[in-house]
Amino acid sequence: MLKLATHRVVEKEIQRKNDLVSVTDIIREIGETPLLTLTHITADLPASVSVLVKAEFLNPGGSVKARSAWRMMSEGLRSGALSHRKILIDATSGNTGIAYAMLGAALDLRIRLVMPANVSESRKKIMRAFGAELELTDPNELTDGAQRRVQEIVRRDPDRYFYPDQYNNPANWQAHFDTTGEEILTQTEGGITHFVSALGTTGTFTGVTRRLKLHRPDVLCIAVQPDMPLHGIEGIKHLETALVPGIFDISLVDEDMRVSTDEAVAMTRRLAVEEGLLVGTSSGANVVASLRVAERLHEGTVVTILCDDGTHYLSESPGSESSP
Amino acid sequence: MKTSQYTNTPIHIPAPLRSYTGGQSIINVNGGSVEEALNDLVHQFPALKQHLFNEEGTLRTFVNIYLNDDDIRYLRQTSTELSEDDELTIVPSIAGGCPAVSFG
């Protein structure tokens, strides 16, 4: 009910500024995802320790990014900065692009996405299927290069574009403060002891952590990064060698945990085979780190995020490993 | 035109690894094959080795090497020979894009 009531307030404000924009049912389905208990993967843990996963892959568009993309877009629509006369442009490595594209289709808005050329073909196809325009940048500059390209385009013609800038827009983490964090508190009845989240734009970690610590300052929040600058864990950043997002607040990190690509990939497979959860490698990294945390506890409730759906990861590539 | 051991080949280094090459984005290496070129690269910048190769000494699965526009996995892998005017590029397999997990 909370979801519907909140949506109605936002929708009214949007309509006041943009009477041509109408919010569709699919958008109302964002958020309020289930919190699932891992059972088989956690079989060795004492009964007093549980690992719960927020099933963000069930959001429209298949990822957690539906929340932040919608928050940034709805703020633009409410202020009038985004309208049918503007093109939404942003840099993305995939999931936010898919979320923007899906929302753009639902709202009849033009979406232009800038991404490194090595974003997988299946992701590019999904974004195009929703009608988004794509511009590809040098793969060796990663999303940092895509960000610089967007800034150049917007500088040249600022009135033409709405640039949410997911790496620096407080609406990104606020989406998680108001929704994901709030939902985790409700679903655990305030009993969460540890929160584990990988860092990409850092929006999920920052927003959820701020909300949890407001409720209980002793909840320990663990930030997960790849163990090496060049890695294969999609959507997450090695902050020492990347542009650090402006919304990141290092003072919120109680513990910095590193996960290797091999560990993340192996856990991603286990989640599919042992739990029936077909998710992406950043979810695998989150669960690896959560198990490490859980193994140290005698009692506790560890919560992490299953960031996205795993079907995007099934495209054949010569780099794919054979299964064990 | 095939040349000998002494082919001088530029290798493009992705942004995350440039802290190990003194900030340089292109390194010139010697070698008649991709393997020799990569060996020369890690000889010049030993800190790069653990980022490109696993403990068994093979290329990490998420590191792609392109010879001009072609992934060397579609050529003769690291035995692929180099010619004059060839360029090599180390491309991260994800943008994050595609670490293609096999569930099969």
Side-chain angles (χ1 to χ4, degrees), chain A:
Chain A
M1 288 317 286
L2 175 72
K3 181 158 75 170
L4 261 184
T6 315
H7 270 302
R8 285 205 184 110
V9 174
V10 173
E11 286 166 25
K12 269 190 191 148
E13 287 179 27
I14 290 171
Q15 226 107 50
R16 210 171 293 145
K17 273 281 178 193
N18 283 276
D19 54 4
L20 293 175
V21 172
S22 56
V23 174
T24 58
D25 277 348
I26 189 72
I27 296 172
R28 299 186 185 108
E29 292 303 317
I30 295 170
E32 294 198 0
T33 52
L35 188 68
L36 312 171
T37 304
L38 293 184
T39 307
H40 299 114
I41 284 175
T42 54
D44 295 337
L45 295 175
S48 50
V49 178
S50 52
V51 177
L52 310 177
V53 292
K54 190 84 171 127
E56 289 302 298
F57 61 94
L58 296 176
N59 274 304
S63 87
V64 64
K65 298 296 189 177
R67 296 179 189 262
S68 50
W70 172 233
R71 177 64 171 257
M72 292 186 284
M73 288 172 78
S74 61
E75 288 205 349
L77 290 166
R78 286 154 87 173
S79 72
L82 174 60
S83 70
H84 289 301
R85 291 181 295 279
K86 295 281 181 84
I87 301 170
L88 181 152
I89 189 167
D90 212 344
T92 171
S93 63
N95 281 328
T96 305
I98 291 172
Y100 285 142
M102 179 263 302
L103 291 164
L107 295 161
D108 192 24
L109 295 168
R110 269 184 79 183
I111 308 291
R112 184 167 298 164
L113 304 168
V114 181
M115 68 201 69
N118 54 339
V119 165
S120 71
E121 284 312 309
S122 64
R123 278 171 193 269
K124 289 178 204 154
K125 280 181 188 160
I126 293 167
M127 292 182 239
R128 289 196 179 105
F130 283 124
E133 301 157 37
L134 273 52
E135 179 175 328
L136 306 178
T137 52
D138 183 347
N140 270 356
E141 303 298 328
L142 285 82
T143 47
D144 296 356
Q147 261 181 276
R148 287 191 289 269
R149 174 66 184 143
V150 170
Q151 286 155 6
E152 189 185 307
I153 295 169
V154 173
R155 207 164 30 237
R156 228 180 286 146
D157 198 354
D159 294 337
R160 203 164 172 224
Y161 296 100
F162 171 70
Y163 173 29
D165 191 5
Q166 59 163 337
Y167 299 95
N168 297 297
N169 187 339
N172 178 346
W173 69 260
Q174 284 160 358
H176 298 289
F177 183 94
D178 289 340
T179 68
T180 326
E182 190 67 40
E183 290 166 30
I184 290 170
L185 283 174
T186 307
Q187 288 167 316
T188 59
E189 296 172 346
I192 177 173
T193 58
H194 296 76
F195 176 63
V196 177
S197 177
L199 303 175
T201 68
T202 74
T204 309
F205 179 82
T206 303
V208 172
T209 296
R210 286 205 170 118
R211 182 64 193 91
L212 296 176
K213 286 189 181 280
L214 187 68
H215 168 73
R216 258 181 72 173
D218 63 340
V219 174
L220 289 174
C221 297
I222 295 102
V224 182
Q225 290 186 59
D227 65 341
M228 294 204 283
L230 208 61
H231 62 92
I233 311 173
E234 170 146 3
I236 81 172
K237 274 179 185 274
H238 182 265
L239 289 184
E240 289 96 332
T241 53
L243 274 179
V244 177
I247 58 171
F248 183 51
D249 179 355
I250 198 164
S251 71
L252 296 171
V253 179
D254 292 310
E255 187 176 346
D256 170 16
M257 207 170 260
R258 305 297 168 118
V259 173
S260 74
T261 300
D262 289 347
E263 289 174 299
V265 167
M267 184 56 77
T268 305
R269 288 195 189 119
R270 287 189 65 191
L271 284 165
V273 172
E274 297 178 37
E275 301 279 350
L277 297 165
L278 184 60
V279 291
T281 42
S282 57
S283 305
N286 275 341
V287 174
V288 167
S290 299
L291 278 187
R292 274 190 217 154
V293 171
E295 280 160 5
R296 304 192 298 224
L297 304 177
H298 299 296
E299 196 178 353
T301 301
V302 182
V303 176
T304 194
I305 305 287
L306 298 185
C307 318
D308 69 355
D309 180 273
T311 47
H312 307 314
Y313 299 84
L314 298 174
S315 55
E316 274 306 307
S317 124
S320 63
E321 299 171 0
S322 55
S323 52

